[in-house]
Amino acid sequence: LLINGKPGDAIAVLDRGLQYGDGLFETVAVVDGRPCLWQRHLARLQQGCDRLGIARPDGEQLLAEALQVIGHSPRSVLKIIITRGTGGRGYRPPLDVAPTRILCLAPWPDHPAAAQNQGVVVRICDTRLGDNPRLAGIKHLNRLEQVLAQAEWRDPAVAEGLMLDSAGCVIEGTMSNLFVLNEGRLLTSDLSRCGIAGVMRGLVLEMAASLGLPCAVEEMTLDDLGEADALFLTNSLIGIWPVRALEGREYELQAIPPALVEAVMAQGFRP
Amino acid sequence: LLINGKPGDAIAVLDRGLQYGDGLFETVAVVDGRPCLWQRHLARLQQGCDRLGIARPDGEQLLAEALQVIGHSPRSVLKIIITRGTGGRGYRPPLDVAPTRILCLAPWPDHPAAAQNQGVVVRICDTRLGDNPRLAGIKHLNRLEQVLAQAEWRDPAVAEGLMLDSAGCVIEGTMSNLFVLNEGRLLTSDLSRCGIAGVMRGLVLEMAASLGLPCAVEEMTLDDLGEADALFLTNSLIGIWPVRALEGREYELQAIPPALVEAVMAQGFRP
């Protein structure tokens, strides 16, 4: 672990990251000792900082520290946390505070290898996502909704849970974004009111466009899932996971364009 | 500071309190070296633990540690943080984790003494509260909405900002609950979808009932504020603050029943 460039594994109790969840994070795949999709992760982190009014981290410094933390690890997960720092009385963010910068390395997750080829089983969570346009899209540290949603099930055969907003629209998975394929047309949820705009989701949108696949970003209903030919999940560590079954309804894995999957997996995990 | 009963001022980076805001807190007034409304704070903390599935702290141990942290400080603020603890892969809460228990003492806030007698000036915030019935009412660590709301203004003449939900209902202040008085009838917002059910709010509701003052807990609109004879704010450190003006509209301080204010201030800050 590196905290503000120095080795360490603890932060001040008074850090606003702990006190209020006043910060952001990124989860980055490390392949062959290099962080994947680095520019995209950095851009989202900086966008999140702008939204919260936290000073942007320096990109070159962050990359140097990332490589230092990665060391000789060929395949792992790099987590970056930026908090507003320590200080202030109560909720109001102080003007002269120095952000806290934390980088740590975790082992590659032990997801079953079959997920990629045979698809995963998915459920729908009871826990809903609250609306907040000012927090939507960014990967901030207020993640109790995801914690409660993942606590809803412990069956390892179920790989992910989908979350709806309070109006009943389908937004995303607890740790992934969702794409729907219906008659050759892709759809992923609009994230202007809640949800996290995943880096891998962004890559899928770009790759789909470059392959000429129509893709809409708009409201998604449970009916859209029922009518779909195929569903798939995305995040920075899984790339693309086809959905084999959702609450008993089965889907065709073959309907997902192989060219899209290949392009995303190649770009998404290129060191 | 005490962390799990031992002196210290830092917690593990891997603590879920930092990683996800996976925890709760209490802010307790200390008068004559004793925590005020202790049983109410403890009850809300334990209710929050139940809601998040975190093991309840032992009440006697927590009080002993509170008194240890308070030491000889006559008047101060005790902050208690309970996090789910360290561990787990990703959002899913581990089953066998030991919560982290943090107690720290802060100076009594330097609110102007006139607030109590001459009332305060209040604004309406642009930042809205997202709906989430599973998180509503409890004092959890996901507080970015309050941070963004308080960042909206820095004029020290404005003491508090009111927050609406996404439907436009008035819910509470950024750091207080709101009561409306209209023709002798009290109203405070229903907090079943968002907001924090303050300990002082609970005391006001009880004192109003024991004084025979009618008080409704239901949806509150901006029209309710416009039509009100008086408004007041409550929290554990301020007790009751009458509102002198809200966005230019002025209110009568005298309309607030003095017997209610006296009873609440006497009970709320009794060591």
Side-chain angles (χ1 to χ4, degrees), chain A residues 3 26 43 50 53 55 57 83 91 109 114 122 131 133 144 150 177 183 191 215 218 232 238 240 253 267:
Chain A
I3 302 177
E26 291 292 327
D50 293 351
T83 82
Y91 297 124
V122 174
D131 280 9
L144 271 174
Q150 284 215 358
N177 292 116
E183 296 183 352
L191 304 179
C215 188
E218 52 190 47
F232 62 88
I238 66 179
I240 288 182
L253 275 56
Q267 283 268 353

Side-chain angles (χ1 to χ4, degrees), chain A residues 40-115:
Chain A
R40 291 170 190 262
H41 283 289
L42 180 63
R44 182 176 57 181
L45 185 60
Q46 292 181 329
Q47 186 195 6
C49 285
D50 293 351
R51 196 89 76 79
L52 299 185
I54 294 173
R56 286 179 167 214
D58 178 80
E60 285 182 31
Q61 181 188 48
L62 203 62
L63 179 57
E65 291 181 357
L67 294 175
Q68 186 183 341
V69 166
I70 292 167
H72 296 292
S73 167
R75 197 167 179 87
S76 48
V77 178
L78 172 69
K79 185 162 180 177
I80 302 170
I81 297 177
I82 302 287
T83 82
R84 195 183 303 273
T86 298
R89 277 268 187 102
Y91 297 124
R92 179 164 293 126
L95 292 173
D96 56 349
V97 69
T100 304
R101 194 171 67 252
I102 302 167
L103 291 91
C104 62
L105 211 62
W108 190 258
D110 52 356
H111 295 308

Side-chain angles (χ1 to χ4, degrees), chain A residues 1 3 8-23 25 51-53 79 81 83-84 89-95 102 104 107-110 126-135 138-154 158-159 166 174-175 196, chain B residues 1 3 8-23 25 51-53 79 81 83-84 89-95 102 104 107-110 126-135 138-154 158-159 166 174-175 196:
Chain A
L1 279 96
I3 302 177
D9 57 9
I11 62 149
V13 160
L14 297 178
D15 193 286
R16 298 175 61 93
L18 171 67
Q19 298 272 328
Y20 310 122
D22 193 1
F25 70 110
R51 196 89 76 79
L52 299 185
K79 185 162 180 177
I81 297 177
T83 82
R84 195 183 303 273
R89 277 268 187 102
Y91 297 124
R92 179 164 293 126
L95 292 173
I102 302 167
C104 62
W108 190 258
D110 52 356
D126 295 325
T127 306
R128 300 287 179 103
L129 293 165
D131 280 9
N132 195 318
R134 295 199 59 190
L135 295 174
I138 63 174
K139 205 168 168 85
H140 57 70
L141 291 173
N142 281 198
R143 298 270 75 106
L144 271 174
E145 290 172 331
Q146 284 74 20
V147 170
L148 291 178
Q150 284 215 358
E152 288 183 27
W153 85 100
R154 298 210 175 253
V158 177
S166 49
T174 62
M175 56 159 201
I196 302 175
Chain B
L1 279 95
I3 302 178
D9 57 9
I11 62 148
V13 161
L14 296 179
D15 193 287
R16 297 175 62 93
L18 171 66
Q19 298 274 328
Y20 310 121
D22 193 1
F25 70 109
R51 195 89 77 77
L52 298 185
K79 186 162 180 176
I81 297 177
T83 82
R84 195 184 302 275
R89 277 267 188 102
Y91 296 125
R92 179 163 293 125
L95 293 174
I102 302 166
C104 62
W108 190 258
D110 51 356
D126 295 325
T127 306
R128 300 286 181 105
L129 293 166
D131 280 9
N132 195 319
R134 295 198 58 191
L135 295 175
I138 62 175
K139 205 168 168 84
H140 57 70
L141 291 173
N142 281 197
R143 298 269 76 106
L144 271 173
E145 290 172 330
Q146 284 74 20
V147 170
L148 291 177
Q150 283 215 358
E152 289 183 26
W153 85 101
R154 298 209 175 254
V158 177
S166 48
T174 62
M175 55 158 201
I196 301 176

Side-chain angles (χ1 to χ4, degrees), chain A residues 182-267:
Chain A
N182 195 351
E183 296 183 352
R185 182 174 167 275
L186 282 166
L187 166 67
T188 192
S189 303
D190 171 65
L191 304 179
S192 57
R193 290 180 298 109
C194 53
I196 302 175
V199 157
M200 196 59 78
R201 172 182 180 269
L203 181 64
V204 169
L205 289 172
E206 276 187 34
M207 293 293 110
S210 72
L211 290 168
L213 298 167
C215 188
V217 178
E218 52 190 47
E219 199 173 277
M220 185 191 289
T221 65
L222 285 171
D223 284 346
D224 289 320
L225 305 190
E227 292 160 9
D229 299 317
L231 309 179
F232 62 88
L233 305 169
T234 65
N235 82 21
S236 292
L237 303 183
I238 66 179
I240 288 182
W241 274 357
V243 174
R244 189 170 76 235
L246 168 67
E247 299 278 347
R249 157 87 156 86
E250 300 199 345
Y251 291 90
E252 302 168 32
L253 275 56
Q254 302 82 349
I256 304 170
L260 178 65
V261 177
E262 279 161 30
V264 168
M265 297 303 283
Q267 283 268 353

Side-chain angles (χ1 to χ4, degrees), chain B residues 180-194:
Chain B
V180 162
L181 189 76
N182 195 352
E183 296 182 354
R185 183 173 166 276
L186 282 166
L187 165 66
T188 193
S189 303
D190 171 64
L191 304 179
S192 57
R193 291 179 298 107
C194 53

Side-chain angles (χ1 to χ4, degrees), chain B:
Chain B
L1 279 95
L2 277 184
I3 302 178
N4 293 330
K6 291 175 193 147
D9 57 9
I11 62 148
V13 161
L14 296 179
D15 193 287
R16 297 175 62 93
L18 171 66
Q19 298 274 328
Y20 310 121
D22 193 1
L24 301 146
F25 70 109
E26 290 292 328
T27 308
V28 185
V30 174
V31 174
D32 293 346
R34 300 281 305 185
C36 300
L37 301 179
W38 178 255
Q39 289 306 326
R40 292 171 190 262
H41 283 289
L42 180 63
R44 181 175 59 179
L45 185 60
Q46 292 181 328
Q47 186 194 7
C49 285
D50 293 351
R51 195 89 77 77
L52 298 185
I54 294 174
R56 286 179 167 215
D58 177 80
E60 285 182 31
Q61 182 188 46
L62 204 63
L63 180 56
E65 291 181 358
L67 294 175
Q68 187 183 340
V69 166
I70 292 167
H72 296 291
S73 167
R75 196 165 180 87
S76 48
V77 178
L78 172 69
K79 186 162 180 176
I80 302 170
I81 297 177
I82 302 287
T83 82
R84 195 184 302 275
T86 298
R89 277 267 188 102
Y91 296 125
R92 179 163 293 125
L95 293 174
D96 56 350
V97 69
T100 303
R101 195 171 67 252
I102 302 166
L103 290 91
C104 62
L105 211 62
W108 190 258
D110 51 356
H111 295 309
Q116 204 73 61
N117 301 319
Q118 295 166 33
V120 294
V121 175
V122 174
R123 69 190 294 279
I124 291 178
C125 296
D126 295 325
T127 306
R128 300 286 181 105
L129 293 166
D131 280 9
N132 195 319
R134 295 198 58 191
L135 295 175
I138 62 175
K139 205 168 168 84
H140 57 70
L141 291 173
N142 281 197
R143 298 269 76 106
L144 271 173
E145 290 172 330
Q146 284 74 20
V147 170
L148 291 177
Q150 283 215 358
E152 289 183 26
W153 85 101
R154 298 209 175 254
D155 177 0
V158 177
E160 176 61 307
L162 301 184
M163 300 186 73
L164 316 184
D165 66 9
S166 48
C169 292
V170 181
I171 302 298
E172 62 188 6
T174 62
M175 55 158 201
S176 62
N177 291 116
L178 174 69
F179 285 79
V180 162
L181 189 76
N182 195 352
E183 296 182 354
R185 183 173 166 276
L186 282 166
L187 165 66
T188 193
S189 303
D190 171 64
L191 304 179
S192 57
R193 291 179 298 107
C194 53
I196 301 176
V199 156
M200 196 60 76
R201 172 183 180 268
L203 181 64
V204 169
L205 290 173
E206 277 187 34
M207 292 293 109
S210 73
L211 290 168
L213 299 168
C215 188
V217 178
E218 52 191 45
E219 199 172 278
M220 185 190 289
T221 64
L222 285 171
D223 285 345
D224 289 321
L225 305 190
E227 292 160 10
D229 299 317
L231 309 179
F232 62 87
L233 305 169
T234 65
N235 82 21
S236 291
L237 303 183
I238 66 179
I240 287 182
W241 273 357
V243 174
R244 188 170 77 236
L246 168 67
E247 299 279 348
R249 158 88 157 86
E250 300 199 347
Y251 291 91
E252 301 169 33
L253 275 56
Q254 300 82 347
I256 305 170
L260 178 65
V261 177
E262 279 162 30
V264 168
M265 297 304 283
Q267 283 268 352
F269 298 100
R270 194 169 58 185

